[in-house]
Amino acid sequence: MATSKLLVSTLRKSLTSPSPSSSFRRFSTAAAEAVAPASEPEDSLTIKGVKISARPLYLDMQATSPVDPRVLDAMLPYYLARYGNPHSRTHLYGWESDQAVETARSQVADLIGASPKEIVFTSGATESNNISVKGVYEQEGFDVTYLPVGNDGIVDLEKLKGSIRRDTGLVSVMAVNNEIALGKIPIDVDKWNVSLMSLSGHKIYGPKGSWEWGTACELAKKEMEYDDKRIGALQERLLNGVRAKLGGVVVNGSVERRYAGNLHLSFAYVEGESLLMGLKDVAVSSGSACTSASLEPSYVLRALGVDEDMAHTSIRFGIGRFTTEEEIDRAIELTVQQVEKLREMSPLYEMVKEGIDIKQIQWAQH
Amino acid sequence: MLRQLASKRLITQRIQILPRFYHEKVIDHFNNPRNVGSFDKNDPAVGTGLVGAPACGDVMKLQIKVDDTTGEIVDARFKTFGCGSAIASSSVATEWVKGKQMEEVMTIKNTEIAKHLSLPPVKLHCSMLAEDAIKAAVKDYKTKRAKSNVDSDAEPAVQAAKA
């Protein structure tokens, strides 16, 4: 397994590192589309008005993850040669595709401790969620009880127990939230007594919107423990690296009970979107309101009870199977640099340095 | 097989029309901000405008230094907690007030700032805030001046603008 990992990372390095002879960014495990610059110098590109010198580092794994080359390897034959429709019953093409689907089905089932008969492939998690909830409860008029979460984002089990009624038909819980901690945690639907579950393939290095997950699930199962340890170490490295140089860094959501690949941080006195603008060479995302059309901060952060003045200051870093130490170190360097620059420009930081308590100020409404 | 794929240029024919676009002027103000900093707010020649709220994600502090005898704004500084458009709007505001009379800068409209920066509709409130900041700074200076004329100590009045 170690050899194939080495192969994968070497392959990725050689495909994505700039060489003097190549003038374009080609195949890479980054999720964004390749953009071929028309009139720009060889190694820089301008997009949305921002000029960047190279493809950004990808640290947005909770939005989506790159396809593992081994998954791609497994898929390619089915695009190029064995492209039959699994429902075609009358020829080899159909039969072999059907076999592939069933193999994939059992690999998924194996990963979560379910029976293959219980797996339904859909176009994605959103469709799955809708099928589960709406499909099971087709009529309207059902009472819905919304439960709050604690400051660490965890559901209070006592509260949950207390709110289950005799006529409760469905309890729906997010095993891991994609904003503050997406999970690749060991799942056993039998042990947990789960009736329905939605899974997202493109967040476990599988393809997007497609049923071809078999290999992705198999790999997830084999490599989860190793991935978890490695990613956990990177997460710690990122947090410690940033905290070594900056004060006022708050982790959103429980530190202990979060998935290792997610680091959702608030940087006091610095607004999230301006930080994103400064971090143009790192692909991350933010929970700040300016990125949505309304001025409301993220409902997830609000549910955690994050203070108003911190609600606009957050950035979500997503670490994954292919993230390297160099990328983390570079991300630390850039983040510290940009936060320091923006704090110099921040009236809130200035007030705090002067000893003013910004929570006491009467701000003007606007 | 992967290497073969990699050696071919991956051109996407379809060009995505991205919903939000940073005008290069906004980027420029972000990368090379003009007039970032502070004056001493106790200085009687300085007017300070502080507008916005952290809960809204936008706070601007704009300060003007006024020549007492001529009424001309000789210098300006700003500090902003907010998105790129907010930073750019306040930066533009400090550029535009320099060398002008106070009455003149009271007529600066947020629409002019927005047009100069090609702000999309969703960012218009940033330019509004910048306009408010200018007015608040002028008002503060005038208030301080009036107070000192009545022979009382000029307090460091940081006055929040009324929206």
Side-chain angles (χ1 to χ4, degrees), chain B residues 19 21 27 47 52 76 119 122 133 149:
Chain B
F21 177 81
I27 311 270
L119 294 184
V122 66
N149 283 348

Side-chain angles (χ1 to χ4, degrees), chain A residues 19-332:
Chain A
S19 61
S21 55
S22 75
S23 48
F24 306 104
R25 297 274 165 268
R26 297 200 177 110
F27 177 85
S28 89
T29 53
E33 281 184 328
V35 173
S39 54
E40 297 291 341
E42 291 204 284
D43 48 1
S44 85
L45 66 102
T46 302
I47 184 162
K48 281 178 86 172
V50 183
K51 189 191 272 216
I52 46 182
S53 58
R55 290 190 71 81
L57 320 170
Y58 190 74
L59 285 177
D60 199 13
M61 295 290 171
Q62 277 81 56
T64 192
S65 57
V67 173
D68 191 312
R70 293 164 289 182
V71 174
L72 195 58
D73 262 348
M75 283 166 61
L76 276 173
Y78 295 95
Y79 284 104
L80 302 176
R82 305 186 198 155
Y83 42 77
N85 185 321
H87 299 294
S88 297
R89 293 173 174 274
T90 59
H91 46 68
L92 174 68
Y93 291 90
W95 304 332
E96 66 189 354
S97 290
D98 184 49
Q99 196 170 59
V101 176
E102 294 316 309
T103 308
R105 203 187 297 278
S106 49
Q107 282 166 324
V108 176
D110 200 36
L111 179 66
I112 59 174
S115 143
K117 293 206 194 50
E118 301 174 295
I119 306 293
V120 179
F121 289 116
T122 67
S123 62
T126 303
E127 189 190 339
S128 298
N129 287 335
N130 279 296
I131 290 176
S132 312
V133 180
K134 292 184 185 159
V136 174
Y137 291 95
E138 275 171 39
Q139 299 143 2
E140 287 174 23
F142 275 86
D143 279 343
V144 179
T145 310
Y146 293 94
L147 289 175
V149 292
N151 282 356
D152 57 0
I154 313 279
V155 175
D156 184 334
L157 287 178
E158 290 307 316
K159 279 212 186 98
L160 174 57
K161 260 198 236 170
S163 48
I164 295 181
R165 314 188 326 205
R166 223 181 305 140
D167 59 347
T168 296
L170 178 71
V171 177
S172 173
V173 180
M174 234 179 153
V176 188
N177 174 279
N178 51 322
E179 189 158 334
I180 54 176
L182 180 69
K184 284 136 205 80
I185 53 178
I187 294 177
D188 191 320
V189 294
D190 253 349
K191 251 206 250 156
W192 292 6
N193 248 315
V194 174
S195 325
L196 302 156
M197 190 169 81
S198 293
L199 297 169
S200 202
H202 69 108
K203 302 203 181 148
I204 57 168
Y205 314 101
K208 295 165 188 46
S210 145
W211 49 263
E212 245 289 18
W213 291 26
T215 311
C217 280
E218 204 176 54
L219 289 173
K221 190 167 185 203
K222 271 203 323 219
E223 308 195 346
M224 190 147 42
E225 203 188 314
Y226 173 85
D227 274 354
D228 233 28
K229 261 203 239 122
R230 204 189 72 93
I231 291 172
L234 288 176
Q235 182 200 51
E236 231 183 279
R237 192 186 180 100
L238 180 55
L239 183 58
N240 293 342
V242 165
R243 278 196 163 146
K245 308 253 178 73
L246 296 172
V249 178
V250 176
V251 180
N252 294 311
S254 161
V255 182
E256 302 82 30
R257 293 177 64 179
R258 82 186 304 116
Y259 168 59
N262 170 294
L263 199 54
H264 198 288
L265 299 177
S266 284
F267 297 94
Y269 325 120
V270 173
E271 198 270 342
E273 197 187 317
S274 60
L275 186 50
L276 280 188
M277 209 162 165
L279 289 178
K280 58 198 166 100
D281 293 312
V282 186
V284 284
S285 68
S286 113
S288 118
C290 271
T291 57
S292 72
S294 83
L295 293 178
E296 293 291 314
S298 142
Y299 68 87
V300 173
L301 292 185
R302 253 197 299 142
L304 294 182
V306 170
D307 266 340
E308 278 186 327
D309 56 334
M310 289 291 274
H312 292 265
T313 65
S314 56
I315 297 284
R316 181 187 72 182
F317 294 89
I319 304 169
R321 184 185 287 163
F322 302 112
T323 310
T324 63
E325 267 183 14
E326 290 88 3
E327 287 177 326
I328 294 291
D329 289 341
R330 182 84 180 119
I332 292 172

